[in-house]
Amino acid sequence: MGSIDAEVLGSEKKSNPGKATILALGKAFPHQLVMQEYLVDGYFKTTKCDDPELKQKLTRLCKTTTVKTRYVVMSEEILKKYPELAIEGGSTVTQRLDICNDAVTEMAVEASRACIKNWGRSISEITHLVYVSSSEARLPGGDLYLAKGLGLSPDTHRVLLYFVGCSGGVAGLRVAKDIAENNPGSRVLLATSETTIIGFKPPSVDRPYDLVGVALFGDGAGAMIIGSDPDPVCEKPLFELHTAIQNFLPDTEKTIDGRLTEQGINFKLARELPQIIEDNVENFCKRLIGKAGLAHKNYNQMFWAVHPGGPAILNRMEKRLNLSPEKLSPSRRALMDYGNASSNSIVYVLEYMLEESKKVRNMNEEENEWGLILAFGPGVTFEGIIAINLDV
């Protein structure tokens, strides 16, 4: 693995031979748009709950998450067809999976088509598929149904990542990077797709932590095309993926805990999660930057594409790493517009990163080319990639 001369920071705009690059991005959402200001009344009406304390708690959570809008698969039509989803204690995993399996495939196909259109090349040139989801469970997996929905060649090599949670998008990107760099000429489609229906439940005093998910999480899909040695005639690389690492923290497996039960996913986030991330993020970033061969450690000279797990995580990261407020702006915008969309979120963050880079360039201000792509998920697992913004 080659090292980087810190002196070239901000000077190189072409991808390095053999290094994986992101060649296109795409996204898709279900049709149901939820405005955060109306969520509480709608949720309690739908679930026929009249507990004033729970309603007050959800109201507070909706304000603190900073989320303004989200897209969700859940709708009045679905609840009319499956009213048992809003009733406590029923065995509904079969119904949930029937809805989720179809929904995630539909969104993944739409996001992938948008990505392929942005890429500008033929779908027949896709050689590999990496599919990520924590919202379905079936055999064969969603990778096959996505390949079928897109009309991919039966020779397409597929990789499936299930139940990786919020780190899934960056984990999939790491896997796609390895595939692209070890298969010259390959073009990898990475697709992520998530829906919260798998864990939708009525409010309960026995599960107050469920309200965090109600206030925070959103649905959608994302897609990327990854390949090395871009064709200068018909491909425009967006980011080079230079170095990737993964790390899990021993004895933290209960911090983000999800179990598939007869009632769907029972999901629990421990209160100490933001503190755990704050306590460990700097050492992780040091390891990542060190492995890439970067001699400097000025975080504010780099861009930061961070999975927006929630405002507390972003705030603690900003404080611990002494980041300028604008560094996490793409992550905060993604959180505000889409909520925490699990594995999809990193696609939305990267889109906002490119948008803000263009604004800086138009204002003739210096833009940061080197940066970090980060996510945190069950384990607790840290995923990180040192990248170069080539779209500057």
Side-chain angles (χ1 to χ4, degrees):
M1 186 175 294
S3 65
I4 304 169
D5 184 352
E7 294 298 320
V8 304
L9 184 67
S11 64
E12 182 61 55
K13 296 184 180 179
K14 286 186 177 180
S15 60
N16 292 300
K19 281 292 184 182
T21 61
I22 299 175
L23 299 169
L25 300 169
K27 62 181 184 293
F29 302 98
H31 299 300
Q32 188 83 0
L33 175 65
V34 176
M35 307 294 291
Q36 192 83 332
E37 58 189 301
Y38 302 122
L39 180 140
V40 177
D41 288 339
Y43 175 62
F44 276 79
K45 179 181 178 181
T46 295
T47 56
K48 297 180 174 60
C49 178
D50 58 1
D51 188 309
E53 291 187 11
L54 288 176
K55 191 171 185 179
Q56 188 178 41
K57 180 172 183 177
L58 181 57
T59 300
R60 290 197 305 270
L61 286 169
C62 284
K63 292 178 180 177
T64 59
T65 60
T66 71
V67 177
K68 299 297 183 186
T69 55
R70 281 176 290 168
Y71 293 87
V72 296
V73 172
M74 180 61 79
S75 64
E76 291 183 5
E77 290 74 21
I78 288 176
L79 284 174
K80 284 180 181 178
K81 185 176 181 181
Y82 302 100
E84 60 270 27
L85 297 182
I87 299 173
E88 182 70 32
S91 178
T92 55
V93 66
T94 299
Q95 298 93 312
R96 293 174 190 275
L97 288 176
D98 285 345
I99 300 166
C100 292
N101 291 344
D102 289 343
V104 293
T105 298
E106 181 180 346
M107 292 188 293
V109 167
E110 185 179 345
S112 298
R113 285 175 176 162
C115 184
I116 293 166
K117 182 179 179 180
N118 292 334
W119 177 41
R121 298 184 68 173
S122 170
I123 194 171
S124 64
E125 297 181 75
I126 294 173
T127 59
H128 296 74
L129 171 65
V130 178
Y131 176 68
V132 181
S133 182
S134 298
S135 305
E136 61 163 284
R138 53 183 161 173
L139 190 69
D143 57 320
L144 182 76
Y145 291 99
L146 174 57
K148 179 181 178 181
L150 290 172
L152 295 181
S153 166
D155 294 328
T156 304
H157 294 194
R158 310 186 320 272
V159 175
L160 175 63
L161 299 179
Y162 263 176
F163 294 103
V164 198
C166 292
S167 59
V170 182
L173 196 55
R174 172 175 51 80
V175 171
K177 166 182 162 61
D178 288 347
I179 292 172
E181 292 177 353
N182 286 282
N183 295 272
S186 62
R187 290 297 178 262
V188 186
L189 171 62
L190 166 63
T192 64
S193 194
E194 308 286 3
T195 174
T196 51
I197 281 186
I198 192 72
F200 178 88
K201 293 179 179 66
S204 169
V205 292
D206 297 324
R207 299 188 316 276
Y209 42 81
D210 279 1
L211 297 180
V212 176
V214 174
L216 184 63
F217 289 102
D219 300 354
M224 307 187 210
I225 298 288
I226 297 95
S228 59
D229 302 316
D231 186 330
V233 175
C234 57
E235 291 181 316
K236 187 178 185 302
L238 305 175
F239 295 92
E240 178 183 308
L241 307 175
H242 188 279
T243 302
I245 67 171
Q246 182 196 65
N247 175 250
F248 74 89
L249 304 177
D251 302 319
T252 62
E253 60 270 16
K254 297 296 184 183
T255 305
I256 305 173
D257 189 51
R259 307 294 176 93
L260 188 59
T261 71
E262 292 184 351
Q263 291 80 43
I265 283 280
N266 287 337
F267 188 66
K268 187 174 181 180
L269 289 173
R271 289 176 176 268
E272 59 268 23
L273 176 60
Q275 185 66 54
I276 289 173
I277 292 174
E278 179 185 356
D279 290 343
N280 292 276
V281 69
E282 185 166 18
N283 283 339
F284 180 78
C285 292
K286 285 180 179 177
R287 284 186 55 212
L288 177 56
I289 290 173
K291 190 164 186 177
L294 289 172
H296 64 85
K297 188 191 153 225
N298 188 338
Y299 294 145
N300 283 304
Q301 288 183 349
M302 308 179 81
F303 71 78
W304 292 78
V306 180
H307 169 75
I313 291 173
L314 296 178
N315 292 343
R316 286 171 179 263
M317 270 195 64
E318 184 177 287
K319 180 181 177 182
R320 174 56 64 98
L321 302 176
N322 197 26
L323 297 177
S324 302
E326 71 274 7
K327 289 298 173 182
L328 296 182
S329 174
S331 298
R332 295 188 189 279
R333 288 179 64 191
L335 181 63
M336 182 182 299
D337 292 345
Y338 308 117
N340 179 341
S342 193
S343 64
N344 309 315
S345 289
I346 201 64
V347 176
Y348 313 153
V349 172
L350 289 172
E351 279 201 338
Y352 281 139
M353 180 72 62
L354 292 173
E355 180 185 311
E356 295 192 5
S357 294
K358 286 182 173 65
K359 289 180 181 178
V360 170
R361 185 172 67 234
N362 291 338
M363 295 171 64
N364 295 318
E365 296 181 11
E366 183 180 352
E367 177 54 24
N368 309 116
E369 293 179 4
W370 292 95
L372 295 88
I373 302 173
L374 300 174
F376 321 102
V380 172
T381 300
F382 283 55
E383 292 276 358
I385 300 176
I386 287 284
I388 308 171
N389 184 353
L390 300 173
D391 192 46
V392 295

